[in-house]
Amino acid sequence: MLYSETIDKYYVGQTEDTGNRLSFHNDPEKNNIWTQCGIPWVVKISIAFPSRTEAIKAERFIKSQKSRKFIREIILNGWKK
């Protein structure tokens, strides 16, 4: 999970390489998606899952909650599903 103080928003995604993904979101030349307006992004939490399938399921579940409070709870207390 990434956070931008610039736009006060969280970004939830999945990747095999957190460093590379963070670099992408913070690169105004390569990033042509909505996250470009939030540069700089910082990693708030990175959660390892046993498989990409499990990571995608978790990402979808978190996004389906549509809740900053839920995201902050995960950042503070970890993933408990």
Side-chain angles (χ1 to χ4, degrees):
M1 293 179 187
L2 306 180
Y3 176 73
S4 167
E5 190 174 305
T6 305
I7 58 173
D8 190 29
K9 292 210 180 280
Y10 291 97
Y11 174 83
V12 177
Q14 57 82 29
T15 183
E16 289 184 17
D17 186 340
T18 305
N20 188 41
R21 187 71 175 262
L22 180 62
S23 293
F24 167 79
H25 285 292
N26 283 322
D27 186 336
E29 293 181 18
K30 293 180 183 174
N31 182 349
N32 61 359
I33 60 175
W34 73 267
T35 57
Q36 184 180 43
C37 65
I39 294 171
W41 291 90
V42 295
V43 175
K44 287 302 209 175
I45 190 170
S46 178
I47 305 164
F49 289 91
S51 69
R52 182 160 189 233
T53 301
E54 291 299 312
I56 291 169
K57 285 180 186 178
E59 176 189 7
R60 287 181 181 157
F61 177 75
I62 293 165
K63 288 179 176 179
S64 74
Q65 300 306 297
K66 299 186 186 305
S67 171
R68 291 171 61 89
K69 182 179 176 184
F70 185 73
I71 290 171
R72 284 192 295 263
E73 188 70 26
I74 293 170
I75 291 167
L76 291 173
N77 300 311
W79 178 250
K80 295 185 178 180
K81 181 148 189 205

